[in-house]
Amino acid sequence: MTRIKKIGVLTSGGDAPGMNAAIRAVTRTAIYNELEVIGIRHGYKGLIEENFKQLKSHSVSDIIQRGGTILKTARCHEFKTSQGRKQAYENLKKNNIDGVVVIGGDGTFTGARIFNEEYDIPFVGVPGTIDNDIYGTDYTIGYDTALNTVAEAVDKIRDTASAHNRLFFIEVMGKESGFIALRSGIACGAEAILIPEIKNQLASLKSQLEDGFKRKKSSNIIIVAEGEEEGGAFQIADKVKKDFKDYSVRVTVLGHIQRGGSPTSFDRVSASRLGYAAVEALCDDQKSSMVGIQHDKIALVPFRKAVKLHKEISKEMLEIANILSI
Ligand code: F6P
């Protein structure tokens, strides 16, 4: 028998489409298991400030299709301090909360891991970030929606790029990783994809563009991850322009549009599975772990691994991108 009677749920870090679907799944799975559910607003900040509200089944009606997060989110510096975590613990104790589901990315899990080293209230994580850069899960909530948002935007840019015979550099999110860039680049048939994981790409990009010109290729779409080593799409464009003076170059930064919008059915279903699995894990006395999806099965991954180990970019995907862009 589980000792858990009441759980909290929060979203933290950058929001991602599908977070609401995860909140819904956590809430309803908990209620099904006769647990009380407390929504913690504004992430760890709300935990420290005791910004709590009880969630009932109807509190999460009509949210599965909505982007953003009904619980709000924040990046919280105070939770990085022992004083902040102590206050969080006292608030959880005072409200008789026996376990917490945290929905977010690596910053969220790092905080949860430290908290669980210090205090005995178990935290279980649900990976929610458009970046898909969490070790131990094939997909994070929001990634698929962001890819579709990028694809829709790039398709439109391609129309105008082609009409004007232009070279476009399109910057997508991914502060430290190229998962969005690589997959969206393949989906949009990009001529080249520049990501932080691959170094010294400028020379090969220039020679690829040169070859294209010889073949009378009139327009090009280059996808650039924001964390790319040259410093993003504008910087890359400046360096390329110098060698291609006759070519009309434009830059588009897609920005936060990638974080919003109604989640795809893939993200809604992943969020529903992961939210359900997180509550099951708490009921099974698990702690300091994230629930992930590996080969379409739910897997439990210790925070220790999820935050320390680096998720590798797929070599196969890189090769496919290269081959298909010739
Ligand atoms: O959510 C992750 C992420 O999208 C990164 O790719 C990006 O660099 C960052 O968030 C920007 O977030 P913010 O505007 O909240 O600082």
Side-chain angles (χ1 to χ4, degrees):
M1 271 299 277
T2 175
R3 62 191 174 85
I4 302 249
K5 295 201 165 43
K6 191 175 186 180
I7 65 163
V9 56
L10 61 81
T11 49
S12 161
D15 62 318
M19 279 185 163
N20 280 325
I23 295 166
R24 173 181 178 269
V26 168
T27 303
R28 294 204 169 154
T29 306
I31 290 168
Y32 175 83
N33 284 293
E34 296 174 355
L35 311 179
E36 266 187 82
V37 191
I38 299 298
I40 301 161
R41 306 181 84 235
H42 302 283
Y44 291 134
K45 187 169 180 281
L47 197 52
I48 293 168
E49 294 172 358
E50 204 184 345
N51 193 343
F52 296 171
K53 68 166 185 184
Q54 183 151 29
L55 296 178
K56 301 283 190 189
S57 186
H58 65 79
S59 320
V60 293
S61 294
D62 198 20
I63 66 167
I64 195 167
Q65 78 282 20
R66 282 166 53 192
T69 157
I70 59 160
L71 291 177
K72 311 277 185 176
T73 186
R75 302 190 198 274
C76 177
H77 176 71
E78 235 189 314
F79 198 69
K80 292 182 181 159
T81 68
S82 54
Q83 185 54 37
R85 291 190 296 276
K86 182 166 176 283
Q87 187 60 55
Y89 177 72
E90 281 165 12
N91 290 340
L92 289 170
K93 273 284 176 210
K94 188 166 124 196
N95 287 273
N96 299 316
I97 296 174
D98 307 308
V100 180
V101 176
V102 294
I103 305 166
D106 55 353
T108 306
F109 298 160
T110 300
R113 179 191 158 214
I114 296 169
F115 184 90
N116 268 180
E117 277 168 7
E118 297 170 340
Y119 299 106
D120 58 359
I121 296 177
F123 279 30
V124 166
V126 170
T129 162
I130 64 164
D131 291 342
N132 199 36
D133 58 348
I134 306 287
Y135 176 90
T137 189
D138 296 341
Y139 299 103
T140 56
I141 296 168
Y143 177 54
D144 186 63
T145 308
L147 291 176
N148 281 288
T149 302
V150 173
E152 200 185 330
V154 174
D155 288 351
K156 288 177 178 158
I157 292 170
R158 194 180 277 284
D159 289 345
T160 178
S162 166
H164 283 268
N165 286 351
R166 276 178 172 154
L167 164 59
F168 262 88
F169 290 87
I170 304 175
E171 184 177 299
V172 299
M173 277 191 169
K175 203 171 37 204
E176 279 147 22
S177 62
F179 292 99
I180 296 178
L182 181 56
R183 202 170 266 255
S184 67
I186 292 174
C188 299
E191 276 68 25
I193 302 166
L194 307 182
I195 58 175
E197 291 85 346
I198 309 288
K199 307 293 172 206
N200 307 317
Q201 288 179 284
L202 195 55
S204 64
L205 173 65
K206 284 182 181 171
S207 74
Q208 190 183 339
L209 289 172
E210 197 65 64
D211 288 350
F213 281 126
K214 285 181 193 146
R215 287 186 281 119
K216 302 265 178 294
K217 192 168 182 36
S218 55
S219 67
N220 282 283
I221 297 284
I222 316 297
I223 302 285
V224 184
E226 65 173 321
E228 197 278 336
E229 65 173 350
E230 303 286 339
F234 279 104
Q235 282 79 353
I236 285 274
D238 281 346
K239 287 175 188 163
V240 169
K241 258 191 237 171
K242 287 183 196 133
D243 296 336
F244 296 89
K245 294 217 167 63
D246 298 335
Y247 206 175
S248 172
V249 175
R250 292 290 185 273
V251 176
T252 302
V253 177
L254 294 183
H256 287 77
I257 191 173
Q258 296 161 89
R259 286 236 295 254
S262 179
T264 58
S265 47
F266 184 87
D267 274 331
R268 297 180 200 191
V269 174
S270 300
S272 301
R273 292 179 72 190
L274 290 165
Y276 160 85
V279 175
E280 291 283 310
L282 279 177
C283 291
D284 288 344
D285 293 328
Q286 298 292 343
K287 64 176 231 179
S288 203
S289 294
M290 170 196 91
V291 288
I293 297 178
Q294 297 176 4
H295 308 295
D296 208 30
K297 298 232 163 4
I298 294 292
L300 203 63
V301 184
F303 284 145
R304 183 175 43 83
K305 285 193 174 174
V307 299
K308 273 217 175 124
L309 299 180
H310 186 67
K311 184 170 178 177
E312 299 288 331
I313 280 279
S314 155
K315 290 198 175 60
E316 187 196 16
M317 292 293 242
L318 279 173
E319 191 174 333
I320 290 170
N322 285 334
I323 291 173
L324 300 189
S325 64
I326 52 172

